[in-house]
Every structure is written in structure tokens, then in C-alpha cells.
């Protein structure tokens, strides 16, 4: 209580001075104790009871949902199709069909490799949950039912839901055999974090925070090899697998669906108020200077107002194709899970985890960006990004993510890449790679460990700041609206136990119930209906940031 030091010995950039600092602290504390003749008390259980917080690691690997024996078998066949166009395949599957759900996780650029297309049908099961409620909703086509969580958290309910649906026997060379695909909002991550964050009256009243579909039939495209896997986890479904494989082979000979593209309607933008945003940056820096946080990822929402259309499904699909062509991304996605539609061009993997029994967990935070227009060469990009602000910004998130992962898997965590400059279609990015391994996983089969890691790692640290919980609370006071899907994650949890989730950035989404509103900024005589999309954007604020 008389001598203390605030220090981060766990930082990846800690050098010899860290040891010297701790030695100085110990030397001074011992000298003070000798001078004042204080007496040390032996450690016992009563002392341990004074401490609070989660145990470390947070998950008991040896007893976490053991004894799972998958009963489902995966049926699949492989087609060689080196010139495959993923968007053509989606159109063969009638992605433009009105009012139908659709899911595409699209590796449209390096380092992405696999694209996953869900082959949904009218009775495909959909799971939805709203933060702050005690029920989960299940949809089978037009049939809906609600289940009381009974005091359980939504994460536990989904884990129990998936347990009997695990499967074996799929193609080991691909990451997805079937399973849950969808998004988890920013707020469901905050709810899991248990911070003092409160929803601001819900800007998106009909937008589920958990929106997942159980994909039983799917197509996986390996961009690297040109192989296409058609697969199903439904019983006795070999005929469907063979039929769709034949259909894809025929597509390979024609090369195109021949369907007409709808006209390109350009939206009107409502951008955030500049003076207010700069004021919030300065407020964020006041929190930093006061020691409340080290970094705050401040964001705001832009609105895209499209003119009305009788073909909203076609418009959203054509919007995705335009975004994909202009800025192909390794973790792009097109999700139409009513009432939400998401068009994503995300370059950032949040968390991937391999199948058991030997499981690894990888996170790839991005902090530091420069346009290729300004820096055409890698050398120029490295010169710009290799500065105190950008390295410090990335470092804080790396330390935060290492902390998150250590808290779940324990000791086995390593930084595989620190502040590496990676090239994307339109920008250079400063990317770090953190990996962890689950102890004891070689000795038992547990396909739900990755789900536990995801649960304990949200919301994404790169979209909050450090320390995470306090930063979330501060951002709640600075941002005037809910983030919704933005800053959440989108991806899959495979029935084989693997998964891959990306951060929802460089993305836009719409909610069906907002489709017929009026623009409050126009004169009453000029009011017209429109289709509203939301596009979140922001940046990490540090003490070295320039508000302008």
C-alpha cells in the first residue's frame, strides 16, 4: 500500500529496462519496509479471498464440454473449375430471388483463399437474439418460435445447440463443411464483456445482435487450386450433391449466367458533422491525457440514401459486386439474413481457429493505414508507417489481444508478426499476427473450444482501444449512436470445430424496417422515400493524433 508501480511487463516490446524498473521498485520497497520495521504476513486463503476477477486461463480445457461424439457425416464431391467466378455461382443459386436469405463469405483478394456459399432453402433454420432480452428466436421459413434462455447466456445456448450437430468425414483440405454462418453485433460483444455500456435506446430497433443461419448445404471454392467442393451434412443427400456438381460443371462450359445487370443507382451521402467529430477527438484525447485509456477507436456513421426501388434484393447484390470489383478484400461478405443485409469489404481477420484435436487460434489486428495513391511502393509505405504513432497504435492492440488470448488459453501465445506492412488493393496496412494454442487438446476431442475463445475475445480490441472495458465505456459517452453490425464480426463456426471471423469494417448494412422513411434533412416539399444504408468508419485516437 506504500510503494507501487504501474508498468506493462507483458508488452511485446518490453526490453531490459523492464527488469531494471522492477528491481528498482523491489529495492525501494524493501528499504522502506526495513526503515519502518513493518512485518510481512504469510500468504493464506484469507489473503487470496481479497482478490477478485476471472481465473486464468478463463476456460477449463480439460473439462469444457468433453465427451462430444459427432454422429453426422459429411457428403461431398469435388469439381475442378480453375476459372470459376464466385458471383456467377451465386447467381446460379438465385441470389437475386426476392425475399430469400443468402450468405456468401468471399475471399476476393489475397491473403484470402476460400469462398463459402451457403445453399439455403425456405426451411433453413435461422437463429436471432437481441441484446438485453431473455429469449432466442428460431425461424423455419414462415414459422417462428421463441425459446426462453432460462438464465443462460446466448453463448451457452448456441454452444448447446451446436453440440449434437457436429460432424465428421468432410474434406480435410477445406475449412468449412457446414455449420453456423452470420454476424455478431458490436453490442453482443460488449454485453459479453460486462462493461457499463448501455444501448442508446437502440437506433436499429429491428436489427438482431446475433443473426446466424444453420448451413447444411454449401459450396467451398479454393481460389488457389481451382477446386470446388459441393457438400451436405443432411442425411442421405448424395443425390443433391451430385446434381449441383453437374450444374457447376455445365456453368464451367458456358462461363456466365447471361443475366442482365440492374442499373447503377448512386446514393446521396449524409456524412458526420466535422466540427462535432473533431470535438469528440479532443475529448477522447483528454481521457488519454488523464490516464483513462491508452487508445480510443472513435467512430461515426455515414448514411447512404438510395432512391426507392421495386428490386431491393437485386440492388443489394449489385452493390456488393460493385464494391467487390472496386476494392476486393480477403474477408468480403454478402449476408442477407432478414431483416438485415450486409455488404462487407473487410480486410481484417478477427479470429480463426482450426479443427480439433490440435487446435490453434490466430488473430490479425490491423492498425496503421496509408493509401497506395500516396505511397505507390512498399518502401514508401514502410517509411510512412514506421513512425512512433502508428507503431504505438498497433503495439497497444497487440498487447491487448495477447492479454485476451492469454486469459483464455493460458501460457501458449506468441506474436508471429509484429507491425508487418501488407499490400491490399487500394491501401498498405500495418498488420500483426498473434497465435495461441490450447493445452491438452491433443488428448481429447472438443470441437467447441474455438467458440469459447471467440466469446472471451469480443468486442474486437482494434475497434475499441486499450484497456478494453474502460475504453468501451468512454466510447459510449463520445459516440451518439449504436454501431449495430459495424465493429462486430462476421464469419462461421464449422460443424467440424473450426471457424473464421472477420471484423465488420469497410462495410455497410441496412435494416428492412428503415426502407420507407423520409429524409429529415430535406424541405417538407421535397420529401421522398428512400432506402437507407449505414456505413461506419473511424480511427484509433492516441496522444499523438492530430484531430484535424
Amino acid at each position: 500500500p506504500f510503494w507501487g508501480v504501474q508498468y506493462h511487463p507483458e508488452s511485446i516490446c518490453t526490453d531490459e529496462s523492464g527488469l531494471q524498473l522492477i528491481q528498482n521498485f523491489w529495492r525501494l520497497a524493501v528499504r522502506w519496509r526495513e526503515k519502518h520495521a513493518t512485518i510481512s504476513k504469510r500468504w493464506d486463503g484469507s489473503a487470496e479471498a481479497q482478490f477478485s476477477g476471472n481465473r486464468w486461463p478463463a476456460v477449463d480445457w480439460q473439462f469444457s464440454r468433453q465427451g462430444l461424439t459427432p454422429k453426422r457425416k459429411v457428403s461431398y464431391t469435388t469439381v475442378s473449375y480453375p476459372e470459376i467466378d464466385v458471383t456467377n455461382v451465386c447467381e446460379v443459386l438465385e441470389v437475386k430471388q426476392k425475399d430469400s436469405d443468402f450468405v456468401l463469405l468471399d475471399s476476393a483478394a489475397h491473403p484470402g483463399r476460400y469462398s463459402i456459399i451457403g445453399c439455403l432453402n425456405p426451411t433453413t433454420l435461422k437463429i436471432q437474439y437481441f441484446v438485453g432480452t431473455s429469449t432466442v428466436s428460431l425461424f423455419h421459413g414462415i414459422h417462428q418460435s421463441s425459446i426462453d434462455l432460462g438464465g443462460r447466456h446466448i453463448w451457452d445456448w448456441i454452444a448447446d445447440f451446436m453440440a449434437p450437430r457436429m460432424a465428421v468425414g468432410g474434406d480435410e483440405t477445406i475449412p468449412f463443411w457446414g455449420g453456423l454462418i452470420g454476424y455478431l453485433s458490436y453490442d453482443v460483444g460488449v454485453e459479453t464483456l460486462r462493461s457499463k455500456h448501455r444501448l442508446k435506446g437502440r437506433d436499429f430497433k429491428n436489427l438482431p445482435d446475433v443473426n446466424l443461419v444453420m448451413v447444411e448445404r454449401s459450396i467451398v471454392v479454393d481460389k488457389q487450386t481451382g477446386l470446388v467442393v459441393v457438400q451436405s451434412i443432411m442425411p442421405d443427400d448424395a443425390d443433391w450433391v451430385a446434381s449441383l456438381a453437374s450444374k457447376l460443371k455445365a456453368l464451367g462450359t458456358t462461363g456466365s449466367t447471361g443475366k442482365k445487370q440492374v442499373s447503377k443507382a448512386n446514393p446521396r451521402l449524409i456524412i458526420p458533422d466535422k466540427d462535432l467529430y473533431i470535438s469528440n477527438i479532443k475529448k477522447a484525447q483528454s481521457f488519454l491525457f488523464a490516464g483513462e485509456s491508452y487508445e480510443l477507436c472513435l467512430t461515426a456513421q455515414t448514411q447512404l440514401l438510395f432512391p426507392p426501388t421495386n428490386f431491393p434484393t437485386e440492388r443489394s447484390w449489385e452493390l456488393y459486386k460493385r464494391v467487390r470489383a472496386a476494392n476486393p478484400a480477403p474477408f468480403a461478405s454478402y449476408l442477407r439474413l432478414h431483416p438485415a443485409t450486409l455488404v462487407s469489404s473487410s480486410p481484417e481477420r478477427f479470429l480463426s481457429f482450426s479443427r480439433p484435436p490440435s487446435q490453434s487460434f490466430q488473430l490479425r489486428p490491423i492498425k496503421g493505414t496509408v493509401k497506395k495513391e500516396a505511397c505507390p511502393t512498399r518502401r514508401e509505405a514502410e517509411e510512412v508507417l514506421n513512425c512512433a504513432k502508428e507503431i504505438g497504435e498497433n503495439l497497444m492492440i497487440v498487447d491487448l489481444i495477447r492479454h485476451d488470448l492469454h486469459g483464455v488459453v493460458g501460457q501458449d501465445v506468441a506474436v508471429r508478426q509484429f507491425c508487418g506492412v501488407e499490400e491490399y488493393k487500394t491501401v498498405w496496412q500495418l498488420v500483426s499476427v498473434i497465435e495461441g494454442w490450447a493445452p491438452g487438446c491433443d488428448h481429447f476431442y472438443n470441437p467447441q473450444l474455438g467458440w469459447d475463445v471467440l466469446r472471451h475475445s469480443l468486442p474486437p480490441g482494434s475497434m475499441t482501444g486499450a484497456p478494453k472495458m474502460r475504453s468501451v465505456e468512454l466510447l459510449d459517452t463520445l459516440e451518439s449512436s449504436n454501431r449495430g453490425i459495424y465493429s462486430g464480426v462476421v464469419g462461421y463456426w464449422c460443424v467440424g470445430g473450426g471457424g473464421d471471423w472477420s471484423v465488420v469494417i469497410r462495410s455497410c448494412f441496412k435494416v428492412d424496417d428503415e426502407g420507407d422513411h423520409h429524409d429529415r434533412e430535406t424541405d417538407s416539399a421535397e420529401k421522398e422515400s428512400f432506402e437507407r444504408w449505414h456505413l461506419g468508419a473511424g480511427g484509433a485516437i492516441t496522444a499523438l493524433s492530430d484531430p484535424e
Side-chain angles (χ1 to χ4, degrees), residues 445-457:
Y445 179 84
N446 189 336
Q448 302 198 349
L449 299 184
W451 187 246
D452 287 326
V453 174
L454 180 64
R455 172 180 183 170
H456 287 87
S457 301

Side-chain angles (χ1 to χ4, degrees), residues 109-110 322-330 345 347 369-377 381 422-429 506:
H110 179 79
R322 291 174 64 186
V323 170
R324 187 181 192 268
N327 187 44
S345 184
T369 305
V370 63
K371 291 181 180 180
K372 294 175 80 172
E373 290 178 349
C375 298
T377 68
E422 294 186 356
E423 181 179 7
Y424 293 81
K425 177 70 174 180
T426 59
V427 295
W428 300 93
Q429 303 274 196
R506 302 176 199 177

